[in-house]
């Protein structure tokens, strides 16, 4: 089984921007355990988190173009990904790839590849979808700080209901109300959705506050929300 794992930036950085070191260590443990069981986590994509938002906000106030804000977010995500290289040590590919082709090349070595952002106009969810498609992953696990996909934003609307299954069209409707700006690509961005739609990648969106949830998903337990095609 070949797995691509996306770890949301908010899972590894708190609201102040401090790194959640214990959680990262837990993630490393889980990934190494799966690897021993021949359930290969081929690539881990890490979000830009608070660092991305802080730097993007500052750049925007200084008049930066939206594309430059994206570039800053890409670097922040790469920086967060780089910390995981330290946690996985010899099992990790030692550098952060900057293009999809480089990700594929790095994955072919059999090491666990850590990646952040790739190109402007998308979020790291798109990176995760592109990577999963490119390396023919069996499943994509999107670990975030909510329990799955809700009918509305659960942080803002208490009437929001969690969905066990969701189609790409339903996600599209949920996110249509929101805009797409650097640092603010909520849930899934359009690139991620298009890639998932064409490749029909088995995708789970789960709460990743407990990294052991990854083990549960791989063992076939029903958690979070599954994207159905
Ligand atoms: P993310 O939005 O993916 O990280 O990347 P996040 O804020 O931590 O979100 P979650 O919690 O992981 O989902 C940060 C920013 O970097 C830019 C975007 O501006 C994005 O909002 N980015 C990231 C790109 O422009 N291209 C990429 O390929 C990745």
């Amino acid at each position: 089984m070949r797995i691509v794992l996306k770890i949301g930036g908010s899972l590894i950085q708190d609201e102040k921007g401090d790194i959640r070191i214990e959680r990262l260590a837990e993630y490393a443990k889980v990934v190494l355990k799966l690897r021993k069981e021949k359930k290969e986590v081929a690539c881990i994509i890490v979000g830009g988190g608070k660092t991305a938002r802080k730097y993007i906000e500052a750049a925007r106030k200084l008049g930066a173009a939206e594309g430059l804000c994206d570039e800053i977010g890409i670097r922040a995500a790469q920086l967060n990904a780089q910390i995981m290289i330290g946690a996985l040590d010899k099992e990790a590919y030692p550098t952060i790839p900057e293009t999809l082709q480089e990700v594929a090349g790095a994955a072919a070595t059999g090491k666990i590849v850590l990646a952040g952002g790739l190109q402007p106009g998308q979020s790291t969810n798109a990176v995760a979808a592109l990577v999963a498609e490119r390396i023919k992953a069996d499943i994509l696990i999107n670990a975030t700080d909510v329990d799955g996909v809700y009918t509305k934003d659960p942080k803002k609307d208490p009437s929001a209901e969690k969905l066990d299954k969701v189609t790409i069209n339903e996600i599209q409707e949920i996110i249509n109300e929101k805009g797409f700006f650097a640092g603010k690509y909520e849930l899934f961005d359009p690139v991620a959705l298009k890639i998932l739609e064409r490749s029909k990648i088995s995708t789970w969106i789960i709460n990743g506050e407990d990294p052991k949830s990854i083990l549960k998903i791989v063992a076939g337990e029903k958690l979070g929300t599954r994207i159905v095609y």
Side-chain angles (χ1 to χ4, degrees):
M1 184 191 267
R2 200 161 214 218
I3 304 158
V4 168
L5 171 64
K6 154 78 204 293
I7 306 177
S10 57
L11 289 175
I12 68 149
Q13 269 185 299
D14 66 17
E15 261 317 296
K16 281 198 300 188
D18 289 344
I19 309 293
R20 301 186 204 268
I21 296 169
E22 271 176 36
R23 183 170 291 148
L24 280 176
E26 269 289 302
Y27 264 107
K29 244 196 238 168
V30 162
V31 167
L32 294 175
K33 179 174 156 54
L34 284 171
R35 198 170 169 78
K36 269 200 193 129
E37 295 167 5
K38 303 280 173 231
K39 288 160 188 151
E40 177 207 3
V41 177
C43 185
I44 306 173
I45 293 98
V46 187
K50 183 70 183 175
T51 302
R53 285 194 298 279
K54 202 153 72 177
Y55 277 76
I56 287 170
E57 221 170 276
R60 200 179 270 135
K61 279 185 187 151
L62 289 165
E66 208 52 28
L68 175 58
C69 292
D70 274 340
E71 285 175 25
I72 291 167
I74 290 169
R75 278 190 195 272
Q78 290 173 341
L79 193 63
N80 282 339
Q82 214 162 10
I83 311 176
M84 271 305 272
I85 293 183
L88 293 165
D89 199 29
K90 290 191 189 69
E91 300 301 324
Y93 190 77
T95 58
I96 301 290
E98 300 208 5
T99 64
L100 190 56
Q101 217 174 14
E102 282 177 15
V103 174
T109 65
K111 295 278 184 194
I112 305 165
V113 182
L114 279 302
L118 295 181
Q119 66 256 335
Q122 61 182 35
S123 74
T124 46
N125 285 332
V127 175
L130 285 161
V131 169
E133 178 184 70
R134 180 67 179 79
I135 68 169
K136 295 186 170 168
D138 299 298
I139 63 168
L140 167 58
I141 303 175
N142 195 308
T144 174
D145 60 355
V146 287
D147 289 341
V149 178
Y150 284 74
T151 49
K152 297 169 192 156
D153 187 342
K155 288 180 186 157
K156 292 178 192 146
D157 194 333
S159 72
E161 281 171 40
K162 200 203 105 195
L163 303 163
D164 293 334
K165 287 180 191 166
V166 71
T167 63
I168 296 287
N169 281 345
E170 282 166 342
I171 296 182
Q172 194 82 60
E173 278 168 28
I174 296 166
I175 60 177
N176 263 346
E177 304 152 21
K178 299 172 182 171
F180 295 102
F181 299 100
K184 290 182 187 159
Y185 298 98
E186 311 241 6
L187 190 60
F188 277 94
D189 61 276
V191 178
L193 290 180
K194 284 284 165 225
I195 299 298
L196 293 179
E197 192 174 33
R198 77 174 184 187
S199 285
K200 301 188 172 33
I201 301 155
S202 289
T203 303
W204 277 263
I205 298 117
I206 61 158
N207 188 324
E209 280 161 0
D210 179 2
K212 289 199 187 74
S213 300
I214 309 297
L215 300 175
K216 292 183 185 166
I217 285 288
V218 174
E221 266 186 57
K222 289 188 174 56
L223 291 182
T225 301
R226 182 174 185 181
I227 298 181
V228 289
Y229 301 97

